[in-house]
């Protein structure tokens, strides 16, 4: 019986030590990953409608049923909820010129800058 108690005691100490180590390691990764790092913003890549990109489908803005929509290839990817009559000049130019974007995030960034 005493032997079993010793085994359980050693097991408990080992498990506790491992938990403390993992907690310290996780905390150091979290605090180290965001602290003291500068943000390097990359420019958004915008392509004209005449450029082709066979590796991936590009995102474009269009107007469907009076609403600004995001197209991925030829399919509607998302409806933005922006009414055609509420578009500012920058947004109207982009829609009219058929400018395309590399990713949905680039489209969202552009729309945010137009609606702010």
């Amino acid at each position: 019986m005493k032997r079993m108690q010793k085994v359980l005691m050693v097991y408990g100490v080992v498990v506790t030590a491992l938990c403390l180590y993992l907690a310290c390691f996780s905390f150091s990764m979290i605090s180290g990953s965001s602290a003291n790092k500068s943000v390097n913003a990359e420019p958004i890549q915008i392509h004209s409608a005449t450029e082709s990109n066979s590796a991936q489908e590009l995102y474009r803005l269009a107007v469907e049923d009076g609403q600004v929509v995001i197209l991925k290839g030829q399919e509607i990817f998302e409806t933005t909820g922006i009414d055609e009559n509420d578009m500012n000049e920058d947004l109207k130019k982009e829609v009219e010129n058929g400018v395309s974007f590399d990713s949905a995030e680039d489209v969202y960034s552009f729309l945010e800058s137009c609606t702010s």
Side-chain angles (χ1 to χ4, degrees):
M1 191 63 142
K2 286 189 176 204
R3 181 180 172 123
M4 184 63 138
Q5 288 175 340
K6 287 181 182 179
V7 169
L8 289 175
M9 178 78 90
V10 169
Y11 179 77
V13 169
V14 169
V15 168
T16 303
L18 284 174
C19 288
L20 288 172
Y21 174 76
L22 289 175
C24 291
F25 180 75
S26 296
F27 181 76
S28 68
M29 291 298 289
I30 291 171
S31 64
S33 65
S34 60
N36 300 327
K37 285 192 175 181
S38 62
V39 176
N40 294 326
E42 293 183 20
I44 296 173
Q45 297 293 322
I46 300 177
H47 304 279
S48 69
T50 57
E51 292 181 27
S52 65
N53 188 348
S54 59
Q56 69 181 22
E57 291 184 337
L58 296 176
Y59 295 84
R60 294 180 299 113
L61 296 171
V63 175
E64 292 285 331
D65 299 325
Q67 296 286 314
V68 177
V69 296
I70 302 170
L71 300 175
K72 182 177 181 184
Q74 299 300 318
E75 301 289 321
I76 293 178
F77 177 74
E78 187 175 341
T79 302
T80 64
I82 300 171
D83 191 73
E84 179 180 22
N85 299 324
D86 296 335
M87 292 192 301
N88 66 22
E89 291 303 314
D90 290 336
L91 186 55
K92 285 180 185 177
K93 285 179 190 175
E94 298 302 324
V95 172
E96 290 170 2
N97 293 335
V99 174
S100 55
F101 301 85
D102 286 329
S103 69
E105 291 79 19
D106 290 345
V107 178
Y108 298 140
S109 295
F110 173 76
L111 287 173
E112 186 176 317
S113 70
C114 288
T115 57
S116 299

